[in-house]
Amino acid sequence: MTWRGAIGRASTTLRARADVYTHGHHRSVVEQHAKRTVESCAAFLTASGALAGGTARLLDVGCGPGSITVGFAPLCGLVVGIDASEAVLETARETALQKVPDANNLSFQKASVYELPFEDDSFDVAYAHQVLQHLADPVAAAREMKRVVRPGGCIAV
């Protein structure tokens, strides 16, 4: 391993330890977040035309219980929701089964916004609702979102 690789791993570890989701994932918090929708939290994005045509590939960073994520499914060609909590992702998967049971363009996975498990230019849109303020290094997170968004795509926060 090079010294840069060692420093990169160390800084990622420090960031991960410094990130504290102040609200936590108590059931009451998750239930409150589950009331969020595309209409109430991402109307700016749908109005922008970034999802026009129904073929957009969208990454929902910090998707939580998936209530916004499932709203994107009928509007996009591909929707991937990521979150750092596997427990909250289980809620997101249950939400998807209830609200959009036939959506074959929707998936959820555990991932870090600092090290997204996707190739460069994989998405047209990276959407992050109420995420950056909880991160120790929001600039690094935004850079990583930019990496996975194609040239001419958008990062929506």
Side-chain angles (χ1 to χ4, degrees):
M1 172 182 347
T2 67
W3 66 272
R4 286 188 178 142
I7 290 172
R9 287 178 214 254
S11 67
T12 298
T13 301
L14 291 173
R15 274 196 306 262
R17 289 184 183 153
D19 288 341
V20 176
Y21 184 54
T22 54
H23 301 299
H25 291 102
H26 185 272
R27 189 177 82 183
S28 62
V29 172
V30 174
E31 287 174 358
Q32 184 63 33
H33 290 176
K35 295 177 182 176
R36 297 172 175 169
T37 65
V38 166
E39 294 78 18
S40 66
C41 298
F44 72 96
L45 185 56
T46 58
S48 74
L51 307 180
T55 60
R57 299 162 297 160
L58 183 136
L59 176 64
D60 187 358
V61 175
C63 67
S67 58
I68 299 171
T69 320
V70 299
F72 283 126
L75 306 174
C76 298
L78 173 71
V79 179
V80 178
I82 65 157
D83 203 279
S85 168
E86 186 60 46
V88 80
L89 286 168
E90 283 303 316
T91 301
R93 292 179 186 108
E94 291 169 14
T95 299
L97 287 174
Q98 292 171 4
K99 300 213 175 192
V100 287
D102 297 326
N104 60 3
N105 65 332
L106 174 62
S107 66
F108 296 94
Q109 67 185 78
K110 185 174 180 180
S112 167
V113 68
Y114 297 119
E115 296 179 44
L116 295 170
F118 308 105
E119 298 289 326
D120 294 359
D121 308 333
S122 294
F123 296 93
D124 301 299
V125 177
Y127 172 76
H129 179 74
Q130 300 291 320
V131 174
L132 297 180
Q133 72 268 23
H134 297 288
L135 301 177
D137 194 348
V139 173
R143 282 188 189 121
E144 183 64 354
M145 288 188 281
K146 180 182 181 290
R147 181 188 67 75
V148 300
V149 171
R150 68 166 173 79
C154 73
I155 297 172
V157 294

